[in-house]
Amino acid sequence: MRNKLLALSVGFSLIAFTGCQDGSATDTTNTEEAKEKDIFEGKPLSMEYEDEIDSLISLMTLEEKSGMLHGTSMFATSGVPRLGIPELTMADGPLGVREEISRDSWAPAGWENDHATFLPAGGGLSATWNPELAYTFGNVIGAETRDRNKHVLLAPAFNIIRTPLGGRTYEYFSEDPFLNKQIAVPYIVGIQENDVAASIKHYAVNNQETNRGTVDVLLDERTLREIYLPAFEAAVEQGHAYSVMGAYNRLRGDYLNENEYMLQEVLRDEWGFKGFVVSDWAAIHSTVKALKAGADVEMGTNAPFEEYYFAQPLIEAVKSGELSEDEVNESVRRVLRVMYNIKAIDSTGRAEGSRNTEQHLKDVYNIASESVVLLRNEKDLLPINAQEINSIAVLGNNATRTYAQGGFGAGVKTKTEVTPLEALQNKLPESVTINYAKGYEENYVPAEDGNQNYGRQTIDELDEAMVQEAVEAAKKSDIAVVFAGSNRDYESEAADRRDLQLPFGQEEFIDRIKAANPNTVVVMIAGAPFDLRKVEKDASTLVWSWFNGSEGGNALVDVLLGKINPSGKLPWTMPMALEDSPAHATNSFPGGESVTYEEGILVGYRWFDTKNIDPMYPFGYGLSYTDFDFSNARVNKTEAFTDDETIQVSVDVTNIGELDGKEVVQLYVSKTDSNVERAAQELKGFEKAMIAAGETETVTIEVPVKELAYYNIENKKWTVEPGIYTLKLGNSSRNILQEVKIEIE
């Protein structure tokens, strides 16, 4: 995998921007001269301030120390003004820096200057399969966090997607640990270059919203190490994340914020983490046990601030001898260490930040444009040639829907969010008539308790008058585009979805439109899989897009019109049916008081490929408006590799079509004669390459031999098994085009 970043500039001329809103008018994100940068190695926490930190701690009262370890407003802890220590301020942010919240409630503060750029949700970012864009994403959101004068950004979120029903699937990255870490590490590096601490979340095995605050997750150690921890380990050891957020759930009996094994033995002793652990909001359940286990900062507990477990109860625990003041000092030291490193105490040379700039919109556009996935294009309806049509029907609620806000959890207060209809109106020539009809309503069954823990129930009965209006629009148009799918009210933190069915009667609606106009393009905008079997029937053209940020509509429409050649790849498997997915095939979701991960290491495509189950669309899948051919796969040598070496795998990729395009070369590894259970294949490398029409490029992927290791539960070490390995090269997990074999000594 390449690990250098060149400043990105491609594609900026394809879009008209609205300009800056309320942030700095200048921005250097990706605008400096092209230079190489290691995006997979962050800056470690410096220990040069330890003497100053010890001096400060010696001057602090116990009450002041406690104030630094718990929320004294909704998103800040206390500082010590007399010693020059400011509040530690935090911001939610996977989609962009959250609007300002009142100090003592969840109500918006009502500021006029807290707008931010809306960035693509995690599904869109990971669908780019482009670590360079992950770095760009982190740099943009880090600069905006810094401009808002926040010290900690509560992002990125990258728990493994275990079930397609997960309420936060739209926000997370992938079902695969390797892809997760290749996106997470550059993201963190980009954030922290802006003197903002990234708080990686949710540590760990926080893979469902159902009973998330209480469920006890049970899984074997090998599964934990091989599937659920690699991205966190890389985020700490390579990205050098300054903060870790402890998750809501339990693991093997203990809450994650009281789990000494996870917080001390793994995170600090094994991985060398030197930063601080902050709880998810209201995820602390004790004083003594949590602090001793390694939690440092308590946030969001549902009590007056002075009653938080790390507030007055902590002071009393020290006075009674249950905790030593030295133990409290250690947590304070970790917080101060981060504050010094991000220049929150001595601000000399601290980054200035920037927000709502034209450059940030360009960066968002670039990310969104590489995320769109072309699923089917059998009649070559795409790209749409605007010079050859007189009319187009634009149909569906998602043609005008916005996604910056919605559901339970963090959104973005943004001034710019271009919808697909707006983009089409701006980009199509005046000679093309746009016939718009909404077609269906987004309606829900009222929740009895205001918080439907297991997904929002929708009203799926169509309004015949609305459908008929859309049918008539389709009939009188040369081509129809249905913008369907989901939204951030339906896919939401705090509630897993009920099933894979499209809500709001959309299956029937799409059928009616296809019958009215055979030249129908179906565009899904969503963050998680749906059952598309009925939608795909008789639908020759199918596109998948995401909750894709301020420029999401522009990027999507530029793909439809052919200004951008699609290059997105699915970061998860889309199943034919829910029961095909491993957590559901094993009847191990959502559990009750506990949930056992019965599928073990066979998560996502590992299950489908090993069990020979056909998916609707496989992991890594995505088409282009051109075609690519792979040939001449080779390695730097075929045998005698040792643990400390790197395998160099090369393949020639030829663009055999008529358009320039980007292809993602994916490298999967198999070992059939293993002494331990293994998946049929595992992703161990990928490279995204731009290849001009008619040209051939050699793509080389480097795979450290240690990436081939499994976790040996007997000696508690990563072990590279000797023998023959097959390296498979393709453009999805189910389309392997070249293979080579190597031998490990």
Side-chain angles (χ1 to χ4, degrees):
M1 167 60 62
R2 86 187 138 198
N3 63 352
K4 302 292 183 183
L5 171 71
L6 290 179
L8 303 175
S9 60
V10 177
F12 288 175
S13 62
L14 300 179
I15 179 171
F17 294 93
T18 57
C20 309
Q21 284 83 43
D22 50 50
S24 169
T26 60
D27 183 13
T28 59
T29 306
N30 287 340
T31 59
E32 299 176 70
E33 292 183 10
K35 62 180 183 180
E36 291 192 341
K37 178 183 289 295
D38 190 340
I39 61 173
F40 285 97
E41 187 63 41
K43 182 180 178 182
L45 280 167
S46 171
M47 306 300 284
E48 65 182 292
Y49 308 103
E50 297 303 293
D51 289 344
E52 295 174 60
I53 290 170
D54 287 340
S55 178
L56 282 176
I57 290 174
S58 70
L59 299 173
M60 293 169 63
T61 67
L62 178 58
E63 287 74 15
E64 288 170 335
K65 296 172 185 176
S66 168
M68 291 189 63
L69 302 184
H70 70 86
T72 51
S73 71
M74 298 304 290
F75 278 90
T77 63
S78 284
V80 186
R82 68 183 183 86
L83 298 177
I85 303 172
E87 288 185 322
L88 181 72
T89 58
M90 308 178 195
D92 238 336
L95 309 181
V97 187
R98 186 175 186 164
E99 68 181 314
E100 199 69 25
I101 300 298
S102 300
R103 290 189 64 85
D104 58 357
S105 78
W106 287 106
W111 289 13
E112 295 297 323
N113 63 345
D114 57 343
H115 295 86
T117 304
F118 171 30
L119 288 100
L125 175 60
S126 56
T128 69
W129 286 62
N130 190 335
E132 294 173 356
L133 289 178
Y135 169 83
T136 297
F137 188 114
N139 209 318
V140 170
I141 200 170
E144 299 220 345
T145 305
R146 178 66 196 94
D147 190 69
R148 283 275 302 280
N149 201 29
K150 305 299 181 183
H151 299 128
V152 182
L153 179 68
L154 306 174
F158 49 82
N159 292 97
I160 288 288
I161 296 169
R162 179 176 180 252
T163 166
L165 299 184
R168 300 184 86 159
T169 295
Y170 77 92
E171 182 182 349
Y172 293 157
F173 291 163
S174 171
E175 65 188 23
D176 180 74
F178 184 83
L179 179 56
N180 261 17
K181 69 181 181 181
Q182 295 300 109
I183 300 297
V185 171
Y187 185 134
I188 293 161
V189 173
I191 290 172
Q192 294 189 164
E193 284 184 359
N194 292 278
D195 293 327
V196 170
S199 187
I200 58 176
K201 63 185 188 183
H202 308 85
Y203 183 72
V205 291
N206 189 175
N207 309 108
Q208 64 186 60
E209 297 301 285
T210 306
N211 301 326
R212 67 176 183 174
T214 57
V215 69
D216 188 11
V217 176
L218 306 176
L219 76 171
D220 65 88
E221 189 69 10
R222 185 178 170 209
T223 297
L224 176 67
R225 296 288 185 146
E226 292 190 16
I227 303 297
Y228 297 97
L229 292 189
F232 285 102
E233 182 176 8
V236 170
E237 293 187 341
Q238 295 171 234
H240 298 289
Y242 291 172
S243 175
V244 171
M245 179 183 285
Y248 281 118
N249 51 289
R250 303 174 190 252
L251 173 64
R252 300 170 183 157
D254 285 329
Y255 284 107
L256 263 302
N257 289 284
E258 300 176 355
N259 198 306
E260 185 175 355
Y261 176 67
M262 292 296 288
L263 298 184
Q264 190 59 49
E265 294 182 33
V266 175
L267 181 63
R268 292 197 171 98
D269 295 345
E270 288 188 33
W271 299 348
F273 179 64
K274 303 297 184 185
F276 67 84
V277 173
V278 59
S279 75
D280 206 338
W281 268 230
I284 292 280
H285 299 271
S286 66
T287 301
V288 176
K289 184 175 182 179
L291 194 84
K292 282 181 173 289
D296 297 309
V297 178
E298 176 193 7
M299 296 299 295
T301 295
N302 297 318
F305 298 127
E306 67 272 12
E307 296 179 12
Y308 277 27
Y309 291 102
F310 285 7
Q312 192 59 36
L314 182 145
I315 295 170
E316 294 171 359
V318 173
K319 291 180 177 178
S320 68
E322 295 177 271
L323 284 174
S324 71
E325 193 158 351
D326 284 344
E327 290 172 307
V328 174
N329 290 348
E330 189 56 39
S331 288
V332 174
R333 181 176 291 106
R334 292 170 186 145
V335 173
L336 288 171
R337 182 180 296 144
V338 171
M339 295 183 78
Y340 267 103
N341 272 268
I342 63 172
K343 305 180 179 68
I345 294 177
D346 179 0
S347 60
T348 303
R350 192 175 188 199
E352 293 184 1
S354 56
R355 182 161 44 101
N356 294 316
T357 66
E358 182 175 328
Q359 181 63 44
H360 287 180
L361 290 174
K362 290 176 180 178
D363 291 333
V364 167
Y365 173 85
N366 280 343
I367 296 166
S369 67
E370 287 205 22
S371 75
V372 178
V373 183
L374 179 61
L375 297 177
R376 295 187 73 183
N377 194 25
E378 293 180 3
K379 289 176 62 176
D380 291 329
L381 294 180
L382 295 177
I384 298 169
N385 188 334
Q387 306 304 318
E388 294 183 355
I389 62 172
N390 296 313
S391 57
I392 182 172
V394 179
L395 311 171
N397 186 59
N398 278 5
T400 58
R401 192 66 158 78
T402 57
Y403 310 99
Q405 300 276 7
F408 181 91
V412 186
K413 180 179 175 182
T414 188
K415 286 187 175 182
T416 303
E417 183 174 357
V418 180
T419 68
L421 178 59
E422 290 171 338
L424 284 165
Q425 290 169 336
N426 291 333
K427 292 172 180 292
L428 286 173
E430 293 184 1
S431 60
V432 177
T433 300
I434 297 176
N435 299 311
Y436 166 71
K438 187 176 182 180
Y440 62 89
E441 292 286 0
E442 175 191 333
N443 289 321
Y444 302 90
V445 175
E448 294 181 4
D449 60 359
N451 180 19
Q452 298 189 47
N453 188 279
Y454 200 57
R456 297 195 70 180
Q457 186 175 352
T458 61
I459 297 174
D460 298 329
E461 193 171 320
L462 292 170
D463 182 310
E464 183 58 32
M466 294 183 68
V467 175
Q468 195 57 41
E469 180 187 12
V471 166
E472 292 303 317
K475 284 181 177 179
K476 65 183 181 182
S477 301
D478 295 329
I479 190 169
V481 184
V482 179
F483 293 92
S486 185
N487 55 67
R488 288 196 53 242
D489 284 319
Y490 187 67
E491 297 183 52
S492 172
E493 178 184 352
D496 293 317
R497 290 156 53 203
R498 293 168 176 262
D499 52 43
L500 291 183
Q501 298 308 303
L502 278 173
F504 319 125
Q506 291 181 87
E507 282 187 355
E508 180 184 347
F509 174 71
I510 293 169
D511 278 345
R512 299 275 294 274
I513 300 304
K514 288 186 296 185
N517 188 332
N519 294 329
T520 294
V521 176
V522 179
V523 179
M524 303 296 300
I525 301 176
F530 282 101
D531 183 345
L532 298 184
R533 286 176 291 181
K534 291 182 180 179
V535 171
E536 191 187 58
K537 185 179 179 181
D538 301 324
S540 65
T541 312
L542 189 58
V543 176
W544 188 279
S545 190
W546 313 86
F547 308 146
N548 240 350
S550 290
E551 293 294 335
N554 278 324
L556 174 57
V557 167
D558 279 347
V559 169
L560 299 179
L561 297 180
K563 294 180 180 179
I564 294 290
N565 193 346
S567 63
K569 303 284 186 177
L570 291 178
W572 33 248
T573 303
M574 188 181 296
M576 289 277 193
L578 182 61
E579 57 268 23
D580 291 341
S581 292
H584 302 271
T586 57
N587 295 311
S588 57
F589 172 87
E593 291 184 2
S594 65
V595 58
T596 302
Y597 289 9
E598 297 285 358
E599 71 279 7
I601 62 171
L602 299 182
V603 176
Y605 70 90
R606 288 167 165 80
W607 174 271
F608 285 84
D609 294 349
T610 305
K611 303 293 184 180
N612 293 314
I613 299 169
D614 288 333
M616 183 83 186
Y617 291 105
F619 174 78
Y621 176 86
L623 302 177
S624 169
Y625 294 149
T626 190
D627 294 299
F628 300 94
D629 180 62
F630 289 26
S631 63
N632 192 28
R634 55 207 183 271
V635 291
N636 53 329
K637 62 177 184 176
T638 59
E639 59 186 13
F641 281 102
T642 58
D643 286 11
D644 59 353
E645 288 187 89
T646 295
I647 307 162
Q648 291 183 332
V649 187
S650 298
V651 65
D652 295 336
V653 182
T654 303
N655 183 338
I656 58 176
E658 298 179 355
L659 298 173
D660 298 350
K662 294 182 179 180
E663 179 63 297
V664 180
V665 180
Q666 301 165 37
L667 188 154
Y668 297 85
V669 176
S670 296
K671 191 176 193 306
T672 55
D673 59 346
S674 177
N675 293 321
V676 297
E677 178 191 22
R678 288 183 183 263
Q681 57 184 11
E682 299 177 353
L683 181 73
K684 293 300 179 182
F686 62 88
E687 181 74 16
K688 192 167 194 174
M690 168 63 84
I691 305 174
E695 296 296 318
T696 298
E697 298 286 346
T698 297
V699 174
T700 299
I701 300 174
E702 294 188 346
V703 182
V705 170
K706 63 182 180 181
E707 278 286 354
L708 308 183
Y710 72 93
Y711 188 78
N712 190 323
I713 58 175
E714 294 181 359
N715 61 17
K716 299 181 180 180
K717 292 182 179 180
W718 289 94
T719 301
V720 178
E721 197 175 12
I724 304 298
Y725 290 77
T726 303
L727 310 182
K728 304 177 179 182
L729 295 155
N731 54 17
S732 82
S733 65
R734 288 297 180 98
N735 193 36
I736 302 302
L737 301 172
Q738 292 276 290
E739 293 185 0
V740 291
K741 294 183 184 295
I742 62 165
E743 183 177 1
I744 305 295
E745 287 189 335

